[in-house]
Short mmCIF file of all heavy atoms in Angstrom, two decimals:
data_model
loop_
_atom_site.label_atom_id
_atom_site.label_comp_id
_atom_site.label_asym_id
_atom_site.label_seq_id
_atom_site.Cartn_x
_atom_site.Cartn_y
_atom_site.Cartn_z
N LEU Q 264 8.63 -70.14 69.86
CA LEU Q 264 7.71 -70.86 68.98
C LEU Q 264 7.39 -70.05 67.73
O LEU Q 264 7.23 -70.60 66.64
CB LEU Q 264 6.42 -71.21 69.75
CG LEU Q 264 6.60 -72.22 70.88
CD1 LEU Q 264 5.33 -72.35 71.70
CD2 LEU Q 264 7.01 -73.58 70.31
N HIS Q 265 7.30 -68.72 67.88
CA HIS Q 265 7.06 -67.85 66.73
C HIS Q 265 8.18 -67.97 65.72
O HIS Q 265 7.95 -68.23 64.53
CB HIS Q 265 6.91 -66.40 67.23
CG HIS Q 265 6.86 -65.39 66.15
ND1 HIS Q 265 8.00 -64.85 65.59
CD2 HIS Q 265 5.81 -64.82 65.49
CE1 HIS Q 265 7.66 -64.00 64.65
NE2 HIS Q 265 6.33 -63.95 64.56
N ASN Q 266 9.41 -67.81 66.19
CA ASN Q 266 10.57 -67.89 65.28
C ASN Q 266 10.72 -69.28 64.69
O ASN Q 266 11.05 -69.43 63.51
CB ASN Q 266 11.86 -67.49 66.03
CG ASN Q 266 11.90 -66.01 66.31
OD1 ASN Q 266 10.90 -65.31 66.19
ND2 ASN Q 266 13.05 -65.51 66.71
N LEU Q 267 10.45 -70.31 65.52
CA LEU Q 267 10.58 -71.69 65.02
C LEU Q 267 9.57 -71.93 63.90
O LEU Q 267 9.91 -72.54 62.87
CB LEU Q 267 10.33 -72.67 66.19
CG LEU Q 267 10.52 -74.14 65.86
CD1 LEU Q 267 11.99 -74.44 65.56
CD2 LEU Q 267 10.05 -75.04 67.00
N THR Q 268 8.36 -71.44 64.06
CA THR Q 268 7.34 -71.60 63.01
C THR Q 268 7.80 -70.93 61.72
O THR Q 268 7.67 -71.50 60.64
CB THR Q 268 6.00 -71.00 63.47
OG1 THR Q 268 5.70 -71.50 64.76
CG2 THR Q 268 4.87 -71.34 62.52
N ILE Q 269 8.33 -69.70 61.86
CA ILE Q 269 8.80 -68.96 60.67
C ILE Q 269 9.91 -69.77 59.96
O ILE Q 269 9.90 -69.92 58.74
CB ILE Q 269 9.37 -67.58 61.07
CG1 ILE Q 269 8.34 -66.76 61.85
CG2 ILE Q 269 9.92 -66.82 59.87
CD1 ILE Q 269 7.31 -66.05 61.07
N VAL Q 270 10.84 -70.31 60.76
CA VAL Q 270 11.96 -71.08 60.18
C VAL Q 270 11.44 -72.33 59.48
O VAL Q 270 11.81 -72.63 58.34
CB VAL Q 270 12.98 -71.45 61.29
CG1 VAL Q 270 13.95 -72.54 60.81
CG2 VAL Q 270 13.77 -70.23 61.71
N LEU Q 271 10.54 -73.06 60.16
CA LEU Q 271 10.04 -74.32 59.58
C LEU Q 271 9.21 -74.05 58.32
O LEU Q 271 9.35 -74.78 57.33
CB LEU Q 271 9.22 -75.09 60.62
CG LEU Q 271 10.03 -75.63 61.81
CD1 LEU Q 271 9.14 -76.35 62.80
CD2 LEU Q 271 11.15 -76.56 61.34
N VAL Q 272 8.38 -73.00 58.35
CA VAL Q 272 7.59 -72.66 57.15
C VAL Q 272 8.55 -72.25 56.02
O VAL Q 272 8.36 -72.65 54.86
CB VAL Q 272 6.58 -71.54 57.48
CG1 VAL Q 272 5.94 -70.99 56.21
CG2 VAL Q 272 5.49 -72.06 58.41
N GLY Q 273 9.58 -71.46 56.37
CA GLY Q 273 10.56 -71.03 55.37
C GLY Q 273 11.28 -72.22 54.75
O GLY Q 273 11.48 -72.27 53.54
N MET Q 274 11.64 -73.19 55.60
CA MET Q 274 12.35 -74.38 55.09
C MET Q 274 11.43 -75.23 54.23
O MET Q 274 11.84 -75.76 53.20
CB MET Q 274 12.88 -75.20 56.26
CG MET Q 274 14.12 -74.57 56.87
SD MET Q 274 15.10 -75.76 57.77
CE MET Q 274 16.65 -74.91 57.87
N TYR Q 275 10.17 -75.33 54.65
CA TYR Q 275 9.19 -76.10 53.87
C TYR Q 275 9.01 -75.47 52.49
O TYR Q 275 8.97 -76.16 51.47
CB TYR Q 275 7.87 -76.15 54.63
CG TYR Q 275 6.77 -76.89 53.90
CD1 TYR Q 275 6.75 -78.28 53.89
CD2 TYR Q 275 5.77 -76.21 53.22
CE1 TYR Q 275 5.76 -78.96 53.22
CE2 TYR Q 275 4.78 -76.88 52.53
CZ TYR Q 275 4.77 -78.28 52.53
OH TYR Q 275 3.79 -78.94 51.85
N ASP Q 276 8.90 -74.14 52.47
CA ASP Q 276 8.74 -73.41 51.18
C ASP Q 276 9.95 -73.58 50.29
O ASP Q 276 9.84 -73.64 49.07
CB ASP Q 276 8.51 -71.91 51.44
CG ASP Q 276 7.10 -71.64 51.90
OD1 ASP Q 276 6.26 -72.55 51.79
OD2 ASP Q 276 6.84 -70.52 52.39
#
Side-chain angles (χ1 to χ4, degrees):
Chain Q
L264 293 172
H265 171 275
N266 288 13
L267 184 67
T268 310
I269 304 278
V270 165
L271 293 178
V272 169
M274 284 202 162
Y275 178 78
D276 283 347

